[in-house]
């Protein structure tokens, strides 16, 4: 029985990682390790700044995204429909800058792909919250400056 639960958790993590990678507004930060993975909300335009911007632009983008990630995670937890924790990592791809990410542990056998889709949907909705307007504006300014 335990082997089946572990195998299911690993497979769900792989499927959820694929769902995230196929999304234009989420970034997989770490590949699944067994049934654990990390990701964050990053609009496509901001990903371009993170990939091609100066060190200062990348740092500023990550600082804004860290605040947004904390807000999304806290708000989602308060809504009580899903629980996704958060943590900080220092990915090499971001010059070892601390980034705040969502951390998912898929151990519940009742968690379905539909539930995971709803988790992402709710996070997208929270990212569109008017209370994040200033942070989103900061990201948009950064994108515009990076192109200029």
């Amino acid at each position: 029985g335990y082997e089946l639960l572990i195998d299911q958790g690993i497979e769900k993590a792989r499927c959820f990682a694929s769902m995230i990678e196929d999304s234009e507004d989420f970034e997989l930060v770490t590949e699944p390790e067994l049934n654990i993975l990390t990701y964050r909300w990053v609009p496509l335009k901001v990903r371009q700044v993170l990939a091609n911007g100066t060190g200062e632009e990348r740092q500023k983008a990550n600082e804004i995204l860290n605040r947004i990630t904390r807000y999304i995670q806290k708000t989602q937890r308060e809504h009580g429909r899903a629980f996704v924790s958060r943590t900080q990592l220092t990915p090499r791809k971001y010059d070892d800058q601390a980034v705040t990410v969502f951390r998912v542990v898929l151990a519940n056998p009742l968690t379905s792909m539909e539930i995971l889709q709803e988790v992402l949907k709710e996070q997208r909705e929270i990212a569109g919250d008017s209370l994040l307007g200033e942070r989103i504006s900061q990201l948009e300014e950064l994108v515009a400056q990076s192109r200029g």
Side-chain angles (χ1 to χ4, degrees):
Y2 287 119
E3 181 180 358
L4 179 62
L5 289 174
I6 291 168
D7 289 345
Q8 286 177 352
I10 292 169
E11 182 57 27
K12 284 176 193 173
R14 287 184 188 139
C15 290
F16 193 43
S18 292
M19 194 183 305
I20 291 164
E21 287 179 323
D22 291 342
S23 169
E24 288 190 3
D25 52 353
F26 286 96
E27 169 192 48
L28 187 66
V29 178
T30 59
E31 295 288 331
E33 289 186 32
L34 296 175
N35 63 337
I36 302 170
L37 60 92
T38 62
Y39 68 101
R40 65 183 181 160
W41 177 82
V42 183
L44 188 59
K45 291 177 183 178
V46 177
R47 280 195 234 171
Q48 294 168 358
V49 172
L50 292 171
N52 304 316
T54 66
E56 185 178 326
E57 290 169 337
R58 291 161 42 107
Q59 181 176 356
K60 186 171 183 178
N62 278 319
E63 288 170 359
I64 296 166
L65 288 168
N66 287 347
R67 286 184 232 129
I68 291 171
T69 301
R70 287 190 295 270
Y71 178 84
I72 292 171
Q73 188 273 336
K74 181 181 176 192
T75 303
Q76 189 172 39
R77 183 186 68 223
E78 288 170 357
H79 288 175
R81 289 177 276 204
F83 179 75
V84 174
S85 64
R86 71 176 188 250
T87 192
Q88 277 200 330
L89 301 174
T90 53
R92 189 166 286 173
K93 98 183 222 183
Y94 295 126
D95 306 318
D96 299 320
Q97 179 184 0
V99 295
T100 303
V101 296
F102 302 118
R103 181 177 180 271
V104 176
V105 179
L106 295 165
N108 186 335
L110 300 178
T111 301
S112 65
M113 294 286 73
E114 292 78 21
I115 289 171
L116 295 174
Q117 288 171 340
E118 286 297 316
V119 167
L120 293 179
K121 179 182 175 195
E122 183 179 23
Q123 289 173 337
R124 275 187 194 99
E125 290 169 358
I126 295 167
D129 190 327
S130 62
L131 295 175
L132 280 175
E134 180 183 341
R135 301 281 183 240
I136 302 300
S137 294
Q138 290 172 335
L139 281 176
E140 290 169 352
E141 286 175 29
L142 192 58
V143 168
Q145 290 172 0
S146 176
R147 290 184 184 158

